[in-house]
Amino acid sequence: MPAWAAALSGLVAGAVALGVAQIVAGLIDPGAAPVVAVGGAMVDATPAGLKEWAIRTFGSNDKPVLLGGIVVVLALIAAGLGLLARRRTAYGTLGLALFGLVGAAAALSRPDAGVVHVLPSIAGAAAAAWTLSRLMRRAMGGDEEEYVAASRAASRATGRAADQATGATVLAAHAPAGPSSGERTRAATVGEERPALPPVMRAGGGPGTGSGSALYTFDRRRLLTGAAAGVAVAGVAGLGGRLLSGSKDAELARRGVAKMLPRAARPAAPIPAGADLRIPGLTPFVTPNAEFYRVDTALVVPSVDPARWTLKIHGLVDRPVELTFADLLKRPLTEADVTLTCVSNEVGGPYAGNARWLGARLADVLREAGVRREADMLLSVSDDGWTCGTPVDVVMDGRDALLAVAMNGEVLPEAHGFPVRQVVPGLYGYVSATKWVTEIRATRFDQEEGYWTPRGWAPRGPIKTQSRIDLPHDGDKVTTGRTTVAGVAWAQHRGVDAVEVGVDGGAWRQARLADVPGLDTWRQWSLDLDLTPGRHTISVRATDATGYTQTADELPPAPDGATGYHTITVTAR
Ligand SMILES: Nc1nc2c(c(=O)[nH]1)N[C@H]1C(S)=C(S)[C@@H](COP(=O)(O)O)O[C@H]1N2
Ligand SMILES: [Mo]
């Protein structure tokens, strides 16, 4: 068999593995699909530096890039296994079994895994092993049924039906010169797995010579049709799996919830008309849900049924409680404008968004549970096992820390935590904003760690005062004379008191500040500059209501948030 054919057989077997695994995962849990499980395990192994690099390089495409990378690696390995199988079928089978085990182990290692999560990988590997050996046989002679049928026909033709059990006798029946017993033995041992085909089945057709090397003839057409069938099976299974795991249910559930969303018992004040300066190119004050940044470790968005959702509050509490979604909606709901920020955001980066959230106040729920004095951390857990450690004192100090069910007047989008997520003004998302939250355990920082802490991020993550220039863009050519510089600044729960702009290292100039509805959102700013012809650097810095002014010292995002001024260079003509 030519090398390319072996590699192709391996590839097709690999595709069948993924397709079959996908459809089995669709029946169990989309997270149990081997590629997703392996990807998830890789994400979990990600230290701070690698996460920063991935976010810097791929932005919010980090997940497709990771999954795509895994698929490419798997394809190379599958082709390699095909080549190994050319030497010995058992090598290919062994390799596939090994990969099934890796997938199964990865699936088992996921925080929300059960024993059934090994099934997609195992079914996939088994299907691949079967496909590989079948394809190779097919390419080298014919498949079993055709073979048996042909042997029967051959036996009948020679009136030796009693001998039809072994290929050697079939071959013997066809051998032109009437074989000796020695020839029979030789023919029977030519193939390792099964007896050789009768010559009528061979690609070239016509009677064979009975010599060993001619017994297996590579048939390209048969390989290609077999491969096409394999690809079709893989595609159909893969698509079926996607449909099964589909977010359809969650989408329906979201629509159902939309009808039962209550009004806010404590509505937020209307957003002041002056909160949005409406400058083209400036980040809008309210980030539309579809444009809101997304950062999480979930390679498939957890699909949580609100009818079965509960939130367990336990640990260092006097009265553990378990709330249903209906319980949560019965509570007086609070509306709050809060800007979320990711600790991985670089100075000038895009990982911040502002929304109007609707939810139950977390502090009220915790008071009912009676959080004990010794507890200083709330370890929240999401449906997919991600965890986050939030300081108790921050949640209890009166700010609008919410168990949110809606975002900008819509039911929480799935990617943003449907049906319930946490929102805590003033803390980076990794220590506060648990999406798909199902559990809150009152505990202690000296006893537990949230997901990102052992991976190189600080246990506590208050948001640092930051400012960003949205226009012009770095590298832009602008006209001389008046140029508008504008952007946003944030210092959640402290409030932004001033934004200053510096040109070419000269004196700082006060920018105009937009209105804000409260202390927990970002604040737009703008300033008109008169630029002389040539290159200019423009920097920005904010001062918060505690009097703290951003430092020029540049620090990377890890471990507790980037610092430094956002600076751009433009050329005026
Ligand atoms: N379940 C879960 N919740 C999570 C995360 C996660 O990985 N899993 N990431 C957190 C981080 S790091 C951030 S910055 C915010 C981002 O929220 P968003 O995706 O709605 O913008 O979600 C937080 N909540
Ligand atoms: Mo984050």
Side-chain angles (χ1 to χ4, degrees), residues 1 23 129 158 221 227 242 257 261 288 293 346 353 428 504 534 560:
M1 181 171 204
I23 202 160
T158 53
R221 192 186 57 82
R242 291 210 151 224
V257 168
L261 265 196
Y293 81 96
E346 292 190 77
Y428 286 122
D504 302 325
D560 61 359

Side-chain angles (χ1 to χ4, degrees), residues 130 236 552:
W130 184 83
V236 168

Side-chain angles (χ1 to χ4, degrees), residues 292-297 342 382 386 416 421 429 433 435-436:
F292 208 94
Y293 81 96
R294 177 185 163 201
V295 170
D296 55 59
T297 59
C342 182
S382 73
W386 186 83
H416 295 288
R421 79 171 304 165
K435 306 192 268 190
W436 317 289

Side-chain angles (χ1 to χ4, degrees), residues 338 340 362 390 394-395 399-402 422-427 432-433:
V338 180
L340 286 192
L362 186 51
T390 311
V394 171
V395 169
R399 70 186 75 195
D400 289 321
L402 300 180
Q422 293 188 171
V423 172
V424 183
L427 299 179
S432 70

Side-chain angles (χ1 to χ4, degrees), residues 89-113:
T89 316
Y91 293 162
T93 313
L94 210 73
L96 288 168
L98 219 69
F99 270 82
L101 282 182
V102 169
L108 260 188
S109 80
R110 309 308 301 138
D112 51 345

Side-chain angles (χ1 to χ4, degrees), residues 116-144:
V116 286
H117 284 215
V118 303
L119 288 180
S121 296
I122 289 176
W130 184 83
T131 306
L132 183 58
S133 74
R134 170 115 186 174
L135 269 179
M136 290 193 142
R137 284 188 206 172
R138 191 180 154 83
M140 294 314 295
D143 55 32
E144 215 67 54

